[in-house]
PDB file of all heavy atoms in Angstrom:
ATOM      1  N   THR A   1     -50.910  53.755  -2.689  1.00  0.00           N
ATOM      2  CA  THR A   1     -49.798  53.165  -1.956  1.00  0.00           C
ATOM      3  C   THR A   1     -48.484  53.379  -2.718  1.00  0.00           C
ATOM      4  O   THR A   1     -48.496  53.624  -3.937  1.00  0.00           O
ATOM      5  CB  THR A   1     -50.019  51.662  -1.767  1.00  0.00           C
ATOM      6  OG1 THR A   1     -50.117  51.058  -3.073  1.00  0.00           O
ATOM      7  CG2 THR A   1     -51.307  51.394  -0.998  1.00  0.00           C
ATOM      8  N   PRO A   2     -47.330  53.272  -2.032  1.00  0.00           N
ATOM      9  CA  PRO A   2     -46.054  53.388  -2.751  1.00  0.00           C
ATOM     10  C   PRO A   2     -45.930  52.393  -3.898  1.00  0.00           C
ATOM     11  O   PRO A   2     -45.380  52.719  -4.950  1.00  0.00           O
ATOM     12  CB  PRO A   2     -45.021  53.108  -1.648  1.00  0.00           C
ATOM     13  CG  PRO A   2     -45.696  53.561  -0.386  1.00  0.00           C
ATOM     14  CD  PRO A   2     -47.142  53.191  -0.571  1.00  0.00           C
ATOM     15  N   SER A   3     -46.440  51.166  -3.698  1.00  0.00           N
ATOM     16  CA  SER A   3     -46.333  50.165  -4.769  1.00  0.00           C
ATOM     17  C   SER A   3     -47.184  50.549  -5.974  1.00  0.00           C
ATOM     18  O   SER A   3     -46.761  50.346  -7.132  1.00  0.00           O
ATOM     19  CB  SER A   3     -46.751  48.785  -4.249  1.00  0.00           C
ATOM     20  OG  SER A   3     -48.087  48.807  -3.790  1.00  0.00           O
ATOM     21  N   LEU A   4     -48.381  51.121  -5.741  1.00  0.00           N
ATOM     22  CA  LEU A   4     -49.220  51.561  -6.861  1.00  0.00           C
ATOM     23  C   LEU A   4     -48.546  52.711  -7.600  1.00  0.00           C
ATOM     24  O   LEU A   4     -48.493  52.715  -8.841  1.00  0.00           O
ATOM     25  CB  LEU A   4     -50.594  51.997  -6.357  1.00  0.00           C
ATOM     26  CG  LEU A   4     -51.545  52.576  -7.420  1.00  0.00           C
ATOM     27  CD1 LEU A   4     -51.843  51.543  -8.500  1.00  0.00           C
ATOM     28  CD2 LEU A   4     -52.834  53.081  -6.792  1.00  0.00           C
ATOM     29  N   LEU A   5     -48.021  53.675  -6.883  1.00  0.00           N
ATOM     30  CA  LEU A   5     -47.358  54.816  -7.514  1.00  0.00           C
ATOM     31  C   LEU A   5     -46.130  54.370  -8.305  1.00  0.00           C
ATOM     32  O   LEU A   5     -45.871  54.886  -9.398  1.00  0.00           O
ATOM     33  CB  LEU A   5     -46.964  55.850  -6.457  1.00  0.00           C
ATOM     34  CG  LEU A   5     -48.130  56.527  -5.725  1.00  0.00           C
ATOM     35  CD1 LEU A   5     -47.606  57.428  -4.612  1.00  0.00           C
ATOM     36  CD2 LEU A   5     -48.985  57.324  -6.692  1.00  0.00           C
ATOM     37  N   GLN A   6     -45.392  53.393  -7.770  1.00  0.00           N
ATOM     38  CA  GLN A   6     -44.222  52.883  -8.480  1.00  0.00           C
ATOM     39  C   GLN A   6     -44.637  52.190  -9.777  1.00  0.00           C
ATOM     40  O   GLN A   6     -43.995  52.357 -10.813  1.00  0.00           O
ATOM     41  CB  GLN A   6     -43.442  51.909  -7.596  1.00  0.00           C
ATOM     42  CG  GLN A   6     -42.195  51.335  -8.279  1.00  0.00           C
ATOM     43  CD  GLN A   6     -41.444  50.364  -7.382  1.00  0.00           C
ATOM     44  OE1 GLN A   6     -41.753  50.223  -6.202  1.00  0.00           O
ATOM     45  NE2 GLN A   6     -40.458  49.678  -7.943  1.00  0.00           N
ATOM     46  N   ARG A   7     -45.738  51.417  -9.711  1.00  0.00           N
ATOM     47  CA  ARG A   7     -46.207  50.717 -10.903  1.00  0.00           C
ATOM     48  C   ARG A   7     -46.662  51.703 -11.973  1.00  0.00           C
ATOM     49  O   ARG A   7     -46.358  51.522 -13.166  1.00  0.00           O
ATOM     50  CB  ARG A   7     -47.361  49.778 -10.521  1.00  0.00           C
ATOM     51  CG  ARG A   7     -47.925  48.977 -11.682  1.00  0.00           C
ATOM     52  CD  ARG A   7     -46.876  48.115 -12.339  1.00  0.00           C
ATOM     53  NE  ARG A   7     -47.428  47.296 -13.403  1.00  0.00           N
ATOM     54  CZ  ARG A   7     -46.767  46.950 -14.505  1.00  0.00           C
ATOM     55  NH1 ARG A   7     -45.516  47.368 -14.695  1.00  0.00           N
ATOM     56  NH2 ARG A   7     -47.337  46.198 -15.420  1.00  0.00           N
ATOM     57  N   ILE A   8     -47.381  52.755 -11.570  1.00  0.00           N
ATOM     58  CA  ILE A   8     -47.806  53.776 -12.534  1.00  0.00           C
ATOM     59  C   ILE A   8     -46.586  54.433 -13.168  1.00  0.00           C
ATOM     60  O   ILE A   8     -46.539  54.659 -14.381  1.00  0.00           O
ATOM     61  CB  ILE A   8     -48.691  54.835 -11.849  1.00  0.00           C
ATOM     62  CG1 ILE A   8     -49.996  54.201 -11.357  1.00  0.00           C
ATOM     63  CG2 ILE A   8     -48.999  55.978 -12.812  1.00  0.00           C
ATOM     64  CD1 ILE A   8     -50.847  55.135 -10.524  1.00  0.00           C
ATOM     65  N   SER A   9     -45.586  54.736 -12.343  1.00  0.00           N
ATOM     66  CA  SER A   9     -44.365  55.373 -12.847  1.00  0.00           C
ATOM     67  C   SER A   9     -43.663  54.484 -13.869  1.00  0.00           C
ATOM     68  O   SER A   9     -43.175  54.959 -14.908  1.00  0.00           O
ATOM     69  CB  SER A   9     -43.428  55.686 -11.676  1.00  0.00           C
ATOM     70  OG  SER A   9     -42.281  56.359 -12.125  1.00  0.00           O
ATOM     71  N   GLU A  10     -43.619  53.174 -13.595  1.00  0.00           N
ATOM     72  CA  GLU A  10     -42.985  52.236 -14.532  1.00  0.00           C
ATOM     73  C   GLU A  10     -43.722  52.220 -15.865  1.00  0.00           C
ATOM     74  O   GLU A  10     -43.099  52.241 -16.935  1.00  0.00           O
ATOM     75  CB  GLU A  10     -42.985  50.831 -13.922  1.00  0.00           C
ATOM     76  CG  GLU A  10     -42.051  50.672 -12.737  1.00  0.00           C
ATOM     77  CD  GLU A  10     -42.244  49.331 -12.043  1.00  0.00           C
ATOM     78  OE1 GLU A  10     -43.209  48.612 -12.399  1.00  0.00           O
ATOM     79  OE2 GLU A  10     -41.454  49.019 -11.136  1.00  0.00           O
ATOM     80  N   LEU A  11     -45.044  52.197 -15.808  1.00  0.00           N
ATOM     81  CA  LEU A  11     -45.843  52.169 -17.038  1.00  0.00           C
ATOM     82  C   LEU A  11     -45.695  53.475 -17.811  1.00  0.00           C
ATOM     83  O   LEU A  11     -45.686  53.476 -19.050  1.00  0.00           O
ATOM     84  CB  LEU A  11     -47.305  51.889 -16.696  1.00  0.00           C
ATOM     85  CG  LEU A  11     -47.585  50.472 -16.181  1.00  0.00           C
ATOM     86  CD1 LEU A  11     -48.962  50.385 -15.538  1.00  0.00           C
ATOM     87  CD2 LEU A  11     -47.463  49.455 -17.316  1.00  0.00           C
ATOM     88  N   ARG A  12     -45.593  54.582 -17.094  1.00  0.00           N
ATOM     89  CA  ARG A  12     -45.361  55.873 -17.761  1.00  0.00           C
ATOM     90  C   ARG A  12     -44.033  55.858 -18.508  1.00  0.00           C
ATOM     91  O   ARG A  12     -43.939  56.347 -19.636  1.00  0.00           O
ATOM     92  CB  ARG A  12     -45.379  57.003 -16.729  1.00  0.00           C
ATOM     93  CG  ARG A  12     -46.767  57.419 -16.269  1.00  0.00           C
ATOM     94  CD  ARG A  12     -46.694  58.355 -15.061  1.00  0.00           C
ATOM     95  NE  ARG A  12     -45.782  59.472 -15.270  1.00  0.00           N
ATOM     96  CZ  ARG A  12     -46.112  60.605 -15.880  1.00  0.00           C
ATOM     97  NH1 ARG A  12     -47.336  60.769 -16.361  1.00  0.00           N
ATOM     98  NH2 ARG A  12     -45.225  61.573 -16.014  1.00  0.00           N
ATOM     99  N   SER A  13     -43.005  55.290 -17.887  1.00  0.00           N
ATOM    100  CA  SER A  13     -41.682  55.268 -18.521  1.00  0.00           C
ATOM    101  C   SER A  13     -41.651  54.352 -19.739  1.00  0.00           C
ATOM    102  O   SER A  13     -40.844  54.538 -20.651  1.00  0.00           O
ATOM    103  CB  SER A  13     -40.621  54.822 -17.505  1.00  0.00           C
ATOM    104  OG  SER A  13     -40.815  53.467 -17.138  1.00  0.00           O
ATOM    105  N   GLN A  14     -42.555  53.362 -19.757  1.00  0.00           N
ATOM    106  CA  GLN A  14     -42.637  52.444 -20.899  1.00  0.00           C
ATOM    107  C   GLN A  14     -43.536  52.984 -22.010  1.00  0.00           C
ATOM    108  O   GLN A  14     -43.709  52.322 -23.031  1.00  0.00           O
ATOM    109  CB  GLN A  14     -43.200  51.093 -20.427  1.00  0.00           C
ATOM    110  CG  GLN A  14     -42.341  50.376 -19.413  1.00  0.00           C
ATOM    111  CD  GLN A  14     -43.063  49.195 -18.775  1.00  0.00           C
ATOM    112  OE1 GLN A  14     -44.091  48.728 -19.276  1.00  0.00           O
ATOM    113  NE2 GLN A  14     -42.532  48.712 -17.660  1.00  0.00           N
ATOM    114  N   GLN A  15     -44.134  54.154 -21.791  1.00  0.00           N
ATOM    115  CA  GLN A  15     -45.070  54.727 -22.754  1.00  0.00           C
ATOM    116  C   GLN A  15     -46.219  53.763 -23.052  1.00  0.00           C
ATOM    117  O   GLN A  15     -46.619  53.560 -24.208  1.00  0.00           O
ATOM    118  CB  GLN A  15     -44.352  55.123 -24.043  1.00  0.00           C
ATOM    119  CG  GLN A  15     -43.432  56.327 -23.888  1.00  0.00           C
ATOM    120  CD  GLN A  15     -44.194  57.596 -23.504  1.00  0.00           C
ATOM    121  OE1 GLN A  15     -45.129  57.986 -24.171  1.00  0.00           O
ATOM    122  NE2 GLN A  15     -43.781  58.243 -22.418  1.00  0.00           N
ATOM    123  N   ALA A  16     -46.735  53.138 -21.988  1.00  0.00           N
ATOM    124  CA  ALA A  16     -47.876  52.244 -22.136  1.00  0.00           C
ATOM    125  C   ALA A  16     -49.105  53.041 -22.567  1.00  0.00           C
ATOM    126  O   ALA A  16     -49.201  54.253 -22.346  1.00  0.00           O
ATOM    127  CB  ALA A  16     -48.150  51.524 -20.821  1.00  0.00           C
ATOM    128  N   VAL A  17     -50.061  52.344 -23.174  1.00  0.00           N
ATOM    129  CA  VAL A  17     -51.332  52.957 -23.570  1.00  0.00           C
ATOM    130  C   VAL A  17     -52.376  52.614 -22.509  1.00  0.00           C
ATOM    131  O   VAL A  17     -52.491  51.465 -22.079  1.00  0.00           O
ATOM    132  CB  VAL A  17     -51.787  52.430 -24.951  1.00  0.00           C
ATOM    133  CG1 VAL A  17     -53.179  52.959 -25.296  1.00  0.00           C
ATOM    134  CG2 VAL A  17     -50.776  52.837 -26.018  1.00  0.00           C
ATOM    135  N   TRP A  18     -53.131  53.623 -22.088  1.00  0.00           N
ATOM    136  CA  TRP A  18     -54.089  53.462 -21.001  1.00  0.00           C
ATOM    137  C   TRP A  18     -55.500  53.303 -21.565  1.00  0.00           C
ATOM    138  O   TRP A  18     -55.940  54.114 -22.379  1.00  0.00           O
ATOM    139  CB  TRP A  18     -54.024  54.674 -20.076  1.00  0.00           C
ATOM    140  CG  TRP A  18     -52.665  54.825 -19.432  1.00  0.00           C
ATOM    141  CD1 TRP A  18     -51.548  55.352 -20.011  1.00  0.00           C
ATOM    142  CD2 TRP A  18     -52.292  54.403 -18.132  1.00  0.00           C
ATOM    143  NE1 TRP A  18     -50.494  55.287 -19.142  1.00  0.00           N
ATOM    144  CE2 TRP A  18     -50.916  54.710 -17.969  1.00  0.00           C
ATOM    145  CE3 TRP A  18     -52.974  53.802 -17.071  1.00  0.00           C
ATOM    146  CZ2 TRP A  18     -50.224  54.436 -16.797  1.00  0.00           C
ATOM    147  CZ3 TRP A  18     -52.284  53.524 -15.906  1.00  0.00           C
ATOM    148  CH2 TRP A  18     -50.922  53.838 -15.769  1.00  0.00           C
ATOM    149  N   LEU A  19     -56.199  52.258 -21.122  1.00  0.00           N
ATOM    150  CA  LEU A  19     -57.566  51.996 -21.563  1.00  0.00           C
ATOM    151  C   LEU A  19     -58.541  52.410 -20.459  1.00  0.00           C
ATOM    152  O   LEU A  19     -58.497  51.885 -19.349  1.00  0.00           O
ATOM    153  CB  LEU A  19     -57.755  50.512 -21.879  1.00  0.00           C
ATOM    154  CG  LEU A  19     -59.178  50.056 -22.209  1.00  0.00           C
ATOM    155  CD1 LEU A  19     -59.690  50.734 -23.475  1.00  0.00           C
ATOM    156  CD2 LEU A  19     -59.232  48.535 -22.347  1.00  0.00           C
ATOM    157  N   PHE A  20     -59.436  53.352 -20.797  1.00  0.00           N
ATOM    158  CA  PHE A  20     -60.403  53.860 -19.821  1.00  0.00           C
ATOM    159  C   PHE A  20     -61.828  53.548 -20.276  1.00  0.00           C
ATOM    160  O   PHE A  20     -62.217  53.862 -21.398  1.00  0.00           O
ATOM    161  CB  PHE A  20     -60.263  55.374 -19.657  1.00  0.00           C
ATOM    162  CG  PHE A  20     -58.961  55.806 -19.038  1.00  0.00           C
ATOM    163  CD1 PHE A  20     -57.992  56.443 -19.811  1.00  0.00           C
ATOM    164  CD2 PHE A  20     -58.701  55.574 -17.698  1.00  0.00           C
ATOM    165  CE1 PHE A  20     -56.783  56.845 -19.250  1.00  0.00           C
ATOM    166  CE2 PHE A  20     -57.500  55.976 -17.125  1.00  0.00           C
ATOM    167  CZ  PHE A  20     -56.536  56.610 -17.903  1.00  0.00           C
ATOM    168  N   SER A  21     -62.599  52.950 -19.371  1.00  0.00           N
ATOM    169  CA  SER A  21     -64.025  52.731 -19.621  1.00  0.00           C
ATOM    170  C   SER A  21     -64.864  53.413 -18.547  1.00  0.00           C
ATOM    171  O   SER A  21     -66.053  53.156 -18.422  1.00  0.00           O
ATOM    172  CB  SER A  21     -64.331  51.229 -19.654  1.00  0.00           C
ATOM    173  OG  SER A  21     -63.887  50.608 -18.461  1.00  0.00           O
ATOM    174  N   SER A  22     -64.230  54.307 -17.788  1.00  0.00           N
ATOM    175  CA  SER A  22     -64.916  55.061 -16.742  1.00  0.00           C
ATOM    176  C   SER A  22     -64.206  56.391 -16.541  1.00  0.00           C
ATOM    177  O   SER A  22     -62.974  56.437 -16.429  1.00  0.00           O
ATOM    178  CB  SER A  22     -64.922  54.280 -15.428  1.00  0.00           C
ATOM    179  OG  SER A  22     -65.237  55.128 -14.338  1.00  0.00           O
ATOM    180  N   SER A  23     -64.983  57.467 -16.482  1.00  0.00           N
ATOM    181  CA  SER A  23     -64.403  58.786 -16.224  1.00  0.00           C
ATOM    182  C   SER A  23     -63.779  58.838 -14.840  1.00  0.00           C
ATOM    183  O   SER A  23     -62.768  59.523 -14.624  1.00  0.00           O
ATOM    184  CB  SER A  23     -65.478  59.869 -16.347  1.00  0.00           C
ATOM    185  OG  SER A  23     -65.961  59.956 -17.670  1.00  0.00           O
ATOM    186  N   GLU A  24     -64.362  58.112 -13.892  1.00  0.00           N
ATOM    187  CA  GLU A  24     -63.823  58.123 -12.533  1.00  0.00           C
ATOM    188  C   GLU A  24     -62.435  57.500 -12.476  1.00  0.00           C
ATOM    189  O   GLU A  24     -61.584  57.950 -11.708  1.00  0.00           O
ATOM    190  CB  GLU A  24     -64.780  57.391 -11.593  1.00  0.00           C
ATOM    191  CG  GLU A  24     -66.037  58.176 -11.296  1.00  0.00           C
ATOM    192  CD  GLU A  24     -67.053  57.349 -10.532  1.00  0.00           C
ATOM    193  OE1 GLU A  24     -67.697  56.492 -11.151  1.00  0.00           O
ATOM    194  OE2 GLU A  24     -67.197  57.568  -9.321  1.00  0.00           O
ATOM    195  N   CYS A  25     -62.180  56.475 -13.281  1.00  0.00           N
ATOM    196  CA  CYS A  25     -60.851  55.866 -13.311  1.00  0.00           C
ATOM    197  C   CYS A  25     -59.811  56.870 -13.814  1.00  0.00           C
ATOM    198  O   CYS A  25     -58.667  56.882 -13.344  1.00  0.00           O
ATOM    199  CB  CYS A  25     -60.859  54.617 -14.180  1.00  0.00           C
ATOM    200  SG  CYS A  25     -61.741  53.225 -13.444  1.00  0.00           S
ATOM    201  N   VAL A  26     -60.207  57.701 -14.756  1.00  0.00           N
ATOM    202  CA  VAL A  26     -59.317  58.761 -15.241  1.00  0.00           C
ATOM    203  C   VAL A  26     -58.965  59.701 -14.088  1.00  0.00           C
ATOM    204  O   VAL A  26     -57.791  60.017 -13.839  1.00  0.00           O
ATOM    205  CB  VAL A  26     -59.979  59.562 -16.378  1.00  0.00           C
ATOM    206  CG1 VAL A  26     -59.018  60.635 -16.893  1.00  0.00           C
ATOM    207  CG2 VAL A  26     -60.426  58.653 -17.506  1.00  0.00           C
ATOM    208  N   GLN A  27     -59.979  60.146 -13.381  1.00  0.00           N
ATOM    209  CA  GLN A  27     -59.780  61.084 -12.281  1.00  0.00           C
ATOM    210  C   GLN A  27     -58.910  60.478 -11.188  1.00  0.00           C
ATOM    211  O   GLN A  27     -58.012  61.142 -10.645  1.00  0.00           O
ATOM    212  CB  GLN A  27     -61.138  61.505 -11.717  1.00  0.00           C
ATOM    213  CG  GLN A  27     -62.011  62.261 -12.707  1.00  0.00           C
ATOM    214  CD  GLN A  27     -63.463  62.326 -12.272  1.00  0.00           C
ATOM    215  OE1 GLN A  27     -63.821  61.908 -11.184  1.00  0.00           O
ATOM    216  NE2 GLN A  27     -64.315  62.841 -13.153  1.00  0.00           N
ATOM    217  N   HIS A  28     -59.158  59.210 -10.871  1.00  0.00           N
ATOM    218  CA  HIS A  28     -58.382  58.558  -9.820  1.00  0.00           C
ATOM    219  C   HIS A  28     -56.909  58.438 -10.203  1.00  0.00           C
ATOM    220  O   HIS A  28     -56.020  58.630  -9.359  1.00  0.00           O
ATOM    221  CB  HIS A  28     -58.953  57.170  -9.529  1.00  0.00           C
ATOM    222  CG  HIS A  28     -60.332  57.204  -8.949  1.00  0.00           C
ATOM    223  ND1 HIS A  28     -61.142  56.089  -8.903  1.00  0.00           N
ATOM    224  CD2 HIS A  28     -61.049  58.210  -8.397  1.00  0.00           C
ATOM    225  CE1 HIS A  28     -62.288  56.417  -8.341  1.00  0.00           C
ATOM    226  NE2 HIS A  28     -62.270  57.695  -8.040  1.00  0.00           N
ATOM    227  N   LEU A  29     -56.637  58.125 -11.465  1.00  0.00           N
ATOM    228  CA  LEU A  29     -55.248  58.011 -11.927  1.00  0.00           C
ATOM    229  C   LEU A  29     -54.540  59.353 -11.806  1.00  0.00           C
ATOM    230  O   LEU A  29     -53.421  59.434 -11.263  1.00  0.00           O
ATOM    231  CB  LEU A  29     -55.209  57.520 -13.374  1.00  0.00           C
ATOM    232  CG  LEU A  29     -53.819  57.480 -14.021  1.00  0.00           C
ATOM    233  CD1 LEU A  29     -52.928  56.461 -13.317  1.00  0.00           C
ATOM    234  CD2 LEU A  29     -53.925  57.159 -15.511  1.00  0.00           C
ATOM    235  N   VAL A  30     -55.157  60.395 -12.300  1.00  0.00           N
ATOM    236  CA  VAL A  30     -54.527  61.716 -12.302  1.00  0.00           C
ATOM    237  C   VAL A  30     -54.272  62.216 -10.883  1.00  0.00           C
ATOM    238  O   VAL A  30     -53.247  62.841 -10.593  1.00  0.00           O
ATOM    239  CB  VAL A  30     -55.392  62.717 -13.094  1.00  0.00           C
ATOM    240  CG1 VAL A  30     -54.851  64.128 -12.949  1.00  0.00           C
ATOM    241  CG2 VAL A  30     -55.438  62.316 -14.565  1.00  0.00           C
ATOM    242  N   ARG A  31     -55.183  61.901  -9.971  1.00  0.00           N
ATOM    243  CA  ARG A  31     -55.043  62.375  -8.591  1.00  0.00           C
ATOM    244  C   ARG A  31     -53.970  61.636  -7.804  1.00  0.00           C
ATOM    245  O   ARG A  31     -53.579  62.083  -6.724  1.00  0.00           O
ATOM    246  CB  ARG A  31     -56.388  62.263  -7.875  1.00  0.00           C
ATOM    247  CG  ARG A  31     -57.422  63.268  -8.372  1.00  0.00           C
ATOM    248  CD  ARG A  31     -58.794  62.971  -7.803  1.00  0.00           C
ATOM    249  NE  ARG A  31     -59.809  63.857  -8.367  1.00  0.00           N
ATOM    250  CZ  ARG A  31     -61.130  63.649  -8.277  1.00  0.00           C
ATOM    251  NH1 ARG A  31     -61.574  62.574  -7.615  1.00  0.00           N
ATOM    252  NH2 ARG A  31     -61.974  64.483  -8.825  1.00  0.00           N
ATOM    253  N   CYS A  32     -53.497  60.497  -8.340  1.00  0.00           N
ATOM    254  CA  CYS A  32     -52.429  59.765  -7.641  1.00  0.00           C
ATOM    255  C   CYS A  32     -51.174  60.614  -7.504  1.00  0.00           C
ATOM    256  O   CYS A  32     -50.447  60.518  -6.512  1.00  0.00           O
ATOM    257  CB  CYS A  32     -52.103  58.477  -8.398  1.00  0.00           C
ATOM    258  SG  CYS A  32     -53.295  57.145  -8.124  1.00  0.00           S
ATOM    259  N   ASN A  33     -50.917  61.421  -8.494  1.00  0.00           N
ATOM    260  CA  ASN A  33     -49.769  62.340  -8.443  1.00  0.00           C
ATOM    261  C   ASN A  33     -50.081  63.512  -9.357  1.00  0.00           C
ATOM    262  O   ASN A  33     -49.963  63.406 -10.582  1.00  0.00           O
ATOM    263  CB  ASN A  33     -48.479  61.642  -8.879  1.00  0.00           C
ATOM    264  CG  ASN A  33     -47.247  62.510  -8.651  1.00  0.00           C
ATOM    265  OD1 ASN A  33     -47.308  63.732  -8.759  1.00  0.00           O
ATOM    266  ND2 ASN A  33     -46.124  61.876  -8.339  1.00  0.00           N
ATOM    267  N   THR A  34     -50.468  64.616  -8.787  1.00  0.00           N
ATOM    268  CA  THR A  34     -50.913  65.764  -9.577  1.00  0.00           C
ATOM    269  C   THR A  34     -49.767  66.495 -10.259  1.00  0.00           C
ATOM    270  O   THR A  34     -50.015  67.395 -11.060  1.00  0.00           O
ATOM    271  CB  THR A  34     -51.691  66.742  -8.698  1.00  0.00           C
ATOM    272  OG1 THR A  34     -50.869  67.142  -7.591  1.00  0.00           O
ATOM    273  CG2 THR A  34     -52.968  66.100  -8.159  1.00  0.00           C
ATOM    274  N   THR A  35     -48.511  66.109  -9.969  1.00  0.00           N
ATOM    275  CA  THR A  35     -47.373  66.765 -10.635  1.00  0.00           C
ATOM    276  C   THR A  35     -47.031  66.099 -11.962  1.00  0.00           C
ATOM    277  O   THR A  35     -46.277  66.660 -12.759  1.00  0.00           O
ATOM    278  CB  THR A  35     -46.125  66.748  -9.733  1.00  0.00           C
ATOM    279  OG1 THR A  35     -45.671  65.395  -9.567  1.00  0.00           O
ATOM    280  CG2 THR A  35     -46.429  67.368  -8.378  1.00  0.00           C
ATOM    281  N   TRP A  36     -47.574  64.906 -12.202  1.00  0.00           N
ATOM    282  CA  TRP A  36     -47.283  64.215 -13.459  1.00  0.00           C
ATOM    283  C   TRP A  36     -47.995  64.892 -14.624  1.00  0.00           C
ATOM    284  O   TRP A  36     -49.155  65.270 -14.530  1.00  0.00           O
ATOM    285  CB  TRP A  36     -47.749  62.765 -13.396  1.00  0.00           C
ATOM    286  CG  TRP A  36     -46.817  61.841 -12.666  1.00  0.00           C
ATOM    287  CD1 TRP A  36     -45.478  61.979 -12.523  1.00  0.00           C
ATOM    288  CD2 TRP A  36     -47.178  60.631 -11.984  1.00  0.00           C
ATOM    289  NE1 TRP A  36     -44.961  60.933 -11.796  1.00  0.00           N
ATOM    290  CE2 TRP A  36     -45.983  60.085 -11.457  1.00  0.00           C
ATOM    291  CE3 TRP A  36     -48.383  59.954 -11.781  1.00  0.00           C
ATOM    292  CZ2 TRP A  36     -45.955  58.895 -10.728  1.00  0.00           C
ATOM    293  CZ3 TRP A  36     -48.362  58.766 -11.066  1.00  0.00           C
ATOM    294  CH2 TRP A  36     -47.174  58.248 -10.546  1.00  0.00           C
ATOM    295  N   SER A  37     -47.283  65.010 -15.731  1.00  0.00           N
ATOM    296  CA  SER A  37     -47.893  65.477 -16.978  1.00  0.00           C
ATOM    297  C   SER A  37     -48.215  64.261 -17.844  1.00  0.00           C
ATOM    298  O   SER A  37     -47.415  63.332 -17.950  1.00  0.00           O
ATOM    299  CB  SER A  37     -46.937  66.403 -17.735  1.00  0.00           C
ATOM    300  OG  SER A  37     -47.424  66.650 -19.044  1.00  0.00           O
TER     301      SER A  37
END
C-alpha cells in the first residue's frame, strides 16, 4: 500500500537496521520497490 511504501522509505532515510528471521520477509521487502538499492 502507499502507506507501507512511505513507511519503508522513511526508515530507509533514517538508516534503520532491519531484523530478519525469515527469508520470505527479505524477499517481500525487496519486491515492494525493485528500484531501491
Side-chain angles (χ1 to χ4, degrees):
T1 60
S3 60
L4 176 61
L5 295 175
Q6 180 180 352
R7 181 59 177 147
I8 295 173
S9 183
E10 290 171 352
L11 291 165
R12 282 169 51 85
S13 67
Q14 297 169 16
Q15 290 297 306
V17 174
W18 298 79
L19 174 63
F20 294 109
S21 55
S22 164
S23 295
E24 287 172 284
C25 288
V26 182
Q27 297 164 6
H28 295 165
L29 175 65
V30 172
R31 290 171 185 165
C32 282
N33 188 327
T34 57
T35 67
W36 280 333
S37 169

